[in-house]
Structure formats: structure tokens, C-alpha cells
Amino acid sequence: WSPPPPPAPPTLVPPEAIERQMARDTAALLTAAAHGPLNAWSFVAPSDFGLGLWARAPLRRGQALGLYSGPRLPCSLQRRGTCALQIPGTHVVVDGASENCPFSVPRCCASYANHSRSPNARLELWPVLRPAPCEVRQHMVLVASEPISAGGEIRIDYEGGSSRAGSGSTAYWGAETGMGEPREDGAWRAVRRHPPPPPATCEAVVDGLARLQSAARASQGGEDVDAASAVLACSVADETAAPLPWGGERGGDARLRLLVPSLAKKLAGLRARVASCQWGIVASHLPGRTGAECRERWAELHAEAEAEMEEMEAEEMEEAEAVEVEAFEVSDEEGAQVESGAEAMEVDAAVVVAEGEEEQEEDGVVEAAVEVEARYAWL
């Protein structure tokens, strides 16, 4: 046995070099924040095809980089979009850039990954082993398919393993979809961007899908599943958004009033008013809100609408009754006026008759006097 060799003496770094490195890191962090979102393992920066996704730290093969998230829609409602991907085995599409939605949602890092026929990353479908009521049952996760150095671009094959939502075809690019495939020559692999400094502590998740499957088989839904799911969810999630306020022109209430009736035409779970996982689809349009919160809030809005409707109906009934009473009073007044008018006409008629009789009597008296005068005129 021999002792290990002594460690190399530390190298003294000049303060100027430290300052330069700090300045570069700060500039890279500010630039990345200006271009788009960033998480523990990736950031957004310019690429040869618009904006692209870049590695923030050295990445291992099989390492999870983040969720491919965004508003979820039934495939039949998807009309366009270069970042809209169908969840395998479902009729639901993730609209990564909110191109088919009435309300925009902040984009995730994974949605900025560009296309390549020779990618260095892929999308995996991770199940939620013990989903809560009203929440989604699976997530699409961006995973490195090979080692990627810090500052290297991350690309996926948009045609690999899935079809473009709603197209009915296995082709994502081409005349059938109306989108031309980006040109590439492989030079993107050699390009490097100075990455922002990684966070102080963050656990890398490698082979996460296999770990979930192993935990499910070993524990049969016990505490190990909950622990594994929690670790994986925290490790691949982007920065958590603040809950969207319910009020406001584009707040949660406005979104629910527009989205729920529209989505209920396609999703039976919303029509049944039960704790369906389809409320997780609704929640994907409201940043920071869960499916359970959306369902509870919709129930409150529905109850308020019914109460307002009942109040309006009661007011309409009161107004109708008031109109009927007013009409009845008017008819009584008109009837009284008619009766008084008839009585006055009867009195007038009686007066006329009496005057006529008086005139007849006077005429009779005159005639009698004339007759008497004629009879005795000879005298």
C-alpha cells in the first residue's frame, strides 16, 4: 500500500479574472431572461432558426430537462401552430405557443427547442402515478438523448414518434401541414452560447421514466410512488407561475366563462360536473391554477349565474304583476268614466224628453185657445 499522491496546489485566480467571469455570467443571465424563460438546465437564446433552446449546464444522457407544457386542447380544435404537439395515445394537443387558444399562457423552455433530423434530445411521456382528482394523468418531458455540453443547443425531431395534431398524417412538415421543414447542415452542433450560471442546488433526474416504472412495480402504489413522483415533478418543472387572479378582463373568471362551455362540447367530463381529469385541461389555460380550483370556481360562477337568473325572473314577474295591476286600475277608471258618462246621457235624455213634453203641452194649449177663439168669433 502506498499513500495517494498529494493534491495539486490551488491556483490563484486574479481578481480581474473573477470580475470578468462574473460580468459575463451576469450579462448572460440578463440576456437569457430577456429572450424567454429559463430553468435549472436550459435557457433561450438566438439560433439559426429564430430562438432556440440551449444547455445551461453539462447534461447527461437520459437527463430530464423540463416539461413540454402549455394550454391543452382537443385535437379537433387545433388549426395551426409550429409548437402544437399531440400527446401520444390521446386526442389532446399541447399548444406550446398558445397559437390556437383565445388566451395566451407563458411558454415553457422546452417549447423553444428547434427541429433536427439528428437531434440530441427527445420527448417522453411520463405518467402521473397517483394523480389528484381533476388533474392531468400524464406529462410530456424533454430528455437529453446524448451528453450535451454547457452552451450547446438542444434540438428534437418533431416527426419522431408522433403525428402532428389534427392532421391525420404522420408527417409534421410538408404540403399536407402547410409548414416547411427548417434547413439544417449539422453546423448547429458546434455552436456555443455562454450560459448563465446554473442554480446553486438542483438535483439532476436521469432515467426518470424508468424510475417511475420501477417505483410503480415495486410499491404497487405505496409511499415510494408518492416520493418518486414528488422528486421527479420538482426536478423537471419550470419556474412556478403566480396564480392567475380570478378577476379582470383576462382573468380566471373570464377564461372559465369562455373556455368551459366551448370545451364541454368536446369533453364529456366537463358536462357531467364530476371530478374529472379533464378539468386539468381547463387548468392548463390558467397559469398557477389547479384543475380542482377551476372546478370549484366554475361551480361558484354557475351558482351565481343561476341566482342572478332567478332574481331576474322574479323581477320580471313583479314587473308583469305591476303592469297587470295598473291595467286593471286603468280599466276600472275607464269603466267608472263610462258609467258616469252613461248616467249623464240618461239625465240629458230625460231633460230632453221633459222639454219635449212641455212643448207639446204648450202647443196643445195654444191650439185649444185658437179653437175657442174661432168658435166664438161670430159673437
Side-chain angles (χ1 to χ4, degrees), residues 343-357:
E343 292 176 356
M345 292 177 64
E346 291 178 357
V347 171
D348 293 340
V351 171
V352 170
V353 170
E355 291 178 353
E357 292 177 351

Side-chain angles (χ1 to χ4, degrees), residues 82 168 173 302:
T82 57
W173 312 102
H302 192 71

Side-chain angles (χ1 to χ4, degrees), residues 238-254:
D238 289 342
E239 184 177 350
T240 304
L244 180 71
W246 295 118
E249 183 179 352
R250 303 181 69 83
D253 290 347

Side-chain angles (χ1 to χ4, degrees), residues 133-134 268-279 291-292 295-296 298:
C134 303
L270 301 183
R271 298 193 299 270
R273 299 185 184 180
V274 296
S276 168
C277 63
Q278 292 175 347
W279 283 102
R295 179 172 177 266
E296 293 174 0
W298 176 250

Side-chain angles (χ1 to χ4, degrees), residues 39-41 57-67 122 124 126-127 141-146 201-213 215 227-238:
N39 61 18
W41 308 113
L59 305 177
R60 299 160 56 186
R61 179 177 181 176
Q63 180 176 341
L65 309 181
L67 298 177
R122 64 180 182 273
E124 293 182 351
W126 288 15
V141 181
L142 180 64
V143 177
S145 56
E146 62 184 57
T201 58
C202 190
E203 179 185 357
V205 176
V206 180
D207 298 329
L209 180 57
R211 290 172 57 182
L212 283 175
Q213 295 170 343
S229 299
V231 171
L232 296 176
C234 293
S235 300
V236 301
D238 289 342

